[in-house]
Amino acid sequence: MEKSNNRFHDNCIEKGLRRLLQRGLLSAALGLFCAGMFCAGCGDVSPGQAPSGGGELLTGTEGETAEAAETTEPAETAESAETAESAETGAEAGTITAASGQDWTVAAHTEPRDLTDEEIAELQSFINEPGSYGFLLSLYDRPEQIDAEEVFYTGAGLNMLPLSEEEKAAYLEAADLDYTEDNILRLTAEQVNGLLVYRTGISYKDLENKPDWIYLQDYDAYYQLRGVEDSNICRYDLLDGYAAGGYYTIHYRLERAVTDSAEHVPVYEAVLKKNGDTFRFCCNCLWFQKDLLPQTSCEAAMSPDMGETFFCTYAPDTRVDAGADVSFCLVRGREEVIPLQGVSEGNIRKDAVFAQVEAFTVEDLDGDSLTDVLTVCRYEKRENYRGREDGREVRFYRGTRDGVPTLDPQTGSRLEQEVEDLNLTNLRAALRGEPAAEQKAEQPREEPASDPEESGNQKAGGRESYAGSETSGAGAASSEAGAASASSAGTSAGTSAGGAGGQEAAWKDLYLKQLDRMDMDSYKGFALLYINDNRVPELAAVGYTPMQGIVIFSCLDGKVTEQRVSLNFSYMERENLLYSNYSLEGVSSDVIYRFSGGALSPLFRGEYGNMRGAAPILDAEGKTVYTYVWENTPADAVEYASMLGFHYDKGRAKTIGNDLMDSEQIRAALEK
């Protein structure tokens, strides 16, 4: 099994880590609450070994290794274990090993502190030393799950002496080879055990997945073939970290080898234990929640073979380029990040700047029983932009049997041209081949009274989506133009009985047409709500699952706009306030919406939960420590609750509950 030179850089940067993770990272049953590793396989050799240096390697012909029947696995020698353990200077023996029963998530019940600049510099250097990087190339929740092949792939900085002719002949016989032209990498059992015990507290015999090496008992050594330029060497960037109770939690990512690429690079979390003047590995996991855009990710059923999968939207890496684009990815099993194809080379836009994701859904959209992905993004136009005037773009990823959808740019372009209002209902209908919905009613409805504070409180570009959710950004933009005509043509529509009657017929007809374009049987029920202080109610379609959520339809100036909110939803009747709570993998968002221009827009937002890393931080009593942020400002639990309660009174709020109308009842109510 060969690896190309710099293959980690090539795969991670240019192909988004997919091949690397399939090959190089263990498929261990990682829990989200593994805290990660940042080990110390330093450039120093393990105690009792020769100085670091690349020893001469012999060459012969290529062939597959096969362990000889007469070879036996060595037991850890007392000498090697004692030699390695003697390196501990001030560390607590046994506290780092999984065999001791150590639970890494509760290893330190003390308030964490941020790492100092000196500690960050030390660890940044440390993880990039020859004997360190290999311990970062596999995922594990305890040291026994480490992939030792990755650790020792290039020798881990240990001194490798050349083979004698007799030793080479013995290896070829054990491997059932006549000759080989590849390098034969040789490490003694003492070297392997010494480094593992020194860096993890376990020996070779404790590994759950032992590498496919040849062991020769007469020489007490392991052997493996390597191509002349075969390497897994890579470098990492340390982002941040914290320390608590003698443990160090560190966040890192692969260093970009291609500087003109803005593809998403995943972040990992590692925990290590101080061991004298070095460190020991505890565990290593993927922190896939890092850099997620709020309310634009969800659990997704892509294919049975993929198992647990998340659809994730990652923020543009504007450190690379101001034109960096959003990244859509699938995260499989909390271990593997699979990027979906972007629309520009290196994921950098020269003609536009990403503004926001306005809609997305993950479902079978074309009736082939395969899961597709559909997104609507808005961009700020630059020179030479050739898209829609409103800067909105559709991406359609067509489902495949392996569960990884492929970009279909032709379908995306067609939808942009054919569908005026890019909301999910219209886009679904267009993909089914149905005609576009009528955009105008006979009479525009009454514009609700304006709020003098609205312009100051409304957040620019605040329409977002979650779990297949959306705000119809295109519809909201179009309604601005409609509002101008309404001031002259339709403002008085509701001032007389006849006007009110025409207005009522108009919104009812629009809602009925909206229902015609929906699969009503896929929703739990429907309700008419009065969120605004006007005579036209909002239509709510309540889904069965968090993925469906609740779709809120509103009508203004002959247009229907839609916003999907979570099932955890309430509203202040006729006070133009709606609350929705979203949760994904330990982080929750509270969003307060209000209607503006006929569409719901976020007014205030807060987040709370385990936001410092993949693993929970525990206090002295073993309880998870939450981080609270209100309107991008850090807060404590009391301040957060106070701000939320000040802007939204849950005590007076209403919920839909189970008092819902079925498809026939809602139609009857609208046809009256």
Side-chain angles (χ1 to χ4, degrees), residues 18-31 137-142 144-148 150 208-209 268 284-286 305-306 332-337:
R18 184 179 181 188
R19 289 176 52 201
L20 165 72
L21 293 169
Q22 290 173 334
R23 163 62 189 88
L25 297 182
L26 284 175
S27 297
L30 287 180
L137 289 180
S138 59
L139 300 178
Y140 46 92
D141 55 8
R142 59 184 187 278
E144 288 86 347
Q145 297 173 331
I146 288 173
D147 188 345
E150 296 288 357
E208 295 181 359
N209 299 285
Y268 296 86
N284 184 39
C285 67
L286 172 68
D305 294 339
M306 290 188 70
R332 179 166 61 179
R334 307 174 194 271
E335 297 177 356
E336 181 183 3
V337 179

Side-chain angles (χ1 to χ4, degrees), residues 3-285:
K3 304 181 184 182
S4 64
N5 192 33
N6 290 327
R7 57 98 192 179
F8 196 89
H9 282 156
D10 295 342
N11 292 339
C12 294
I13 298 300
E14 297 177 7
K15 300 182 179 180
L17 278 169
R18 184 179 181 188
R19 289 176 52 201
L20 165 72
L21 293 169
Q22 290 173 334
R23 163 62 189 88
L25 297 182
L26 284 175
S27 297
L30 287 180
L32 173 65
F33 301 124
C34 153
M37 136 224 146
F38 236 130
C39 158
C42 63
D44 300 334
V45 298
S46 58
Q49 305 303 312
S52 298
E56 180 183 354
L57 299 178
L58 301 181
T59 59
T61 46
E62 179 177 340
E64 293 188 7
T65 62
E67 189 160 358
E70 64 271 22
T71 61
T72 58
E73 291 292 337
E76 176 194 350
T77 64
E79 179 182 359
S80 65
E82 291 174 1
T83 301
E85 289 295 333
S86 68
E88 295 187 16
T89 56
E92 298 176 5
T95 59
I96 202 69
T97 64
S100 69
Q102 179 68 58
D103 181 351
W104 308 121
T105 65
V106 295
H109 292 171
T110 58
E111 188 69 23
R113 63 168 179 83
D114 292 336
L115 296 180
T116 65
D117 292 342
E118 292 75 15
E119 288 172 323
I120 289 178
E122 176 190 4
L123 288 165
Q124 172 71 38
S125 174
F126 174 74
I127 62 174
N128 285 299
E129 291 176 353
S132 298
Y133 77 89
F135 285 93
L136 298 173
L137 289 180
S138 59
L139 300 178
Y140 46 92
D141 55 8
R142 59 184 187 278
E144 288 86 347
Q145 297 173 331
I146 288 173
D147 188 345
E149 183 177 348
E150 296 288 357
V151 172
F152 295 101
Y153 200 85
T154 59
L158 300 173
N159 187 30
M160 294 177 288
L161 299 176
L163 281 67
S164 66
E165 289 300 322
E166 294 79 7
E167 189 176 7
K168 180 180 179 181
Y171 165 77
L172 291 175
E173 180 180 358
D176 196 22
L177 297 173
D178 294 329
Y179 61 91
T180 179
E181 294 180 352
D182 287 332
N183 292 333
I184 302 176
L185 185 148
R186 172 189 182 275
L187 291 170
T188 67
E190 185 178 10
Q191 286 178 307
V192 172
N193 277 311
L195 184 63
L196 286 174
V197 174
Y198 186 55
R199 298 304 189 197
T200 68
I202 67 170
S203 65
Y204 180 84
K205 67 181 178 62
D206 298 316
L207 293 175
E208 295 181 359
N209 299 285
K210 294 179 174 60
D212 186 19
W213 294 342
I214 295 292
Y215 172 71
L216 297 180
Q217 189 173 19
D218 290 345
Y219 299 94
D220 195 23
Y222 296 97
Y223 305 82
Q224 49 188 314
L225 290 180
R226 290 291 179 265
V228 176
E229 296 184 352
D230 211 2
S231 174
N232 68 350
I233 295 175
C234 54
R235 290 188 58 81
Y236 301 93
D237 286 330
L238 192 154
L239 305 179
D240 57 46
Y242 56 88
Y247 290 84
Y248 293 78
T249 299
I250 304 171
H251 300 125
Y252 67 96
R253 61 159 49 106
L254 188 74
E255 184 179 87
R256 290 187 184 274
V258 182
T259 57
D260 59 349
S261 172
E263 300 284 352
H264 173 68
V265 180
V267 175
Y268 296 86
E269 180 174 278
V271 166
L272 48 101
K273 169 76 171 177
K274 189 69 175 177
N275 183 29
D277 60 353
T278 186
F279 300 92
R280 277 182 165 179
F281 302 117
C282 297
C283 54
N284 184 39
C285 67

Side-chain angles (χ1 to χ4, degrees), residues 499-552:
Q503 175 193 14
E504 183 175 20
W507 66 258
K508 287 185 175 182
D509 185 58
L510 284 172
Y511 282 160
L512 285 169
K513 290 177 180 178
Q514 197 72 30
L515 294 175
D516 289 340
R517 300 172 63 78
M518 299 171 59
D519 179 7
M520 298 182 66
D521 292 337
S522 66
Y523 289 88
K524 182 179 180 180
F526 304 84
L528 294 174
L529 314 176
Y530 286 89
I531 302 173
N532 274 339
D533 184 18
N534 58 46
R535 285 178 283 181
V536 179
E538 286 70 45
L539 170 64
V542 181
Y544 286 99
T545 66
M547 178 70 180
Q548 287 180 295
I550 301 176
V551 185
I552 306 294

Side-chain angles (χ1 to χ4, degrees), residues 325-347:
D325 204 355
V326 65
S327 294
F328 297 116
C329 299
L330 299 179
V331 176
R332 179 166 61 179
R334 307 174 194 271
E335 297 177 356
E336 181 183 3
V337 179
I338 306 172
L340 302 184
Q341 182 182 346
V343 296
S344 55
E345 185 176 357
N347 207 40

Side-chain angles (χ1 to χ4, degrees), residues 535-578:
R535 285 178 283 181
V536 179
E538 286 70 45
L539 170 64
V542 181
Y544 286 99
T545 66
M547 178 70 180
Q548 287 180 295
I550 301 176
V551 185
I552 306 294
F553 297 96
S554 60
C555 182
L556 175 66
D557 299 323
K559 288 183 177 293
V560 175
T561 60
E562 61 183 77
Q563 166 76 49
R564 194 177 303 267
V565 298
S566 75
L567 292 175
N568 187 359
F569 144 90
S570 65
Y571 65 100
M572 305 286 288
E573 189 171 49
R574 300 188 184 277
E575 294 187 36
N576 196 18
L577 290 175
L578 181 149

